[in-house]
Amino acid sequence: MSTPRTKAPSLKDLLKQYESGSVKFSGDPNASYERHLVFDHAVEPEAAGLRERFEAVARALRDLLVQRWLKTSETYDRNNPKQVYYCRWSS
């Protein structure tokens, strides 16, 4: 017995589903990483230390993830999917 094949979604459909807007991560004065270095630490990117760079990367990634989390929540609210929670009790 073979499993029926489904058509793979197009790139356009995938981008529409997962895209969270145009966010420039780095390489531009207004990019998320550079903005966090300048505004959170008041330091030029060239003069930033390792800890400051780490925190700027973490915050820039958080900015990207939060947009996607909100989009996921919106999709769940709209589609009302069923969820199953599993808890294993150990004795």
Side-chain angles (χ1 to χ4, degrees):
M1 176 183 226
S2 77
T3 305
R5 292 187 180 241
T6 58
K7 184 179 176 187
S10 70
L11 179 60
K12 182 180 176 182
D13 292 337
L14 288 174
L15 287 175
K16 183 179 177 185
Q17 181 177 356
Y18 293 108
E19 189 173 39
S20 58
S22 176
V23 176
K24 187 96 169 156
F25 185 79
S26 181
D28 181 73
N30 196 31
S32 186
Y33 170 72
E34 282 85 359
R35 238 186 14 255
H36 279 292
L37 277 177
V38 172
F39 292 118
D40 296 348
H41 297 288
V43 65
E44 289 293 327
E46 300 80 25
L50 286 177
R51 180 65 187 196
E52 293 162 330
R53 291 175 188 217
F54 169 78
E55 289 178 5
V57 167
R59 289 182 178 124
L61 288 173
R62 180 202 57 202
D63 293 347
L64 291 172
L65 290 173
V66 165
Q67 288 181 358
R68 292 184 181 199
W69 286 333
L70 292 173
K71 186 164 182 144
T72 298
S73 179
E74 173 189 313
T75 301
Y76 282 178
D77 290 343
R78 184 178 57 248
N79 295 336
N80 192 22
K82 305 304 178 230
Q83 297 180 351
V84 176
Y85 295 93
Y86 173 77
C87 180
R88 180 178 172 193
W89 297 94
S90 61
S91 46

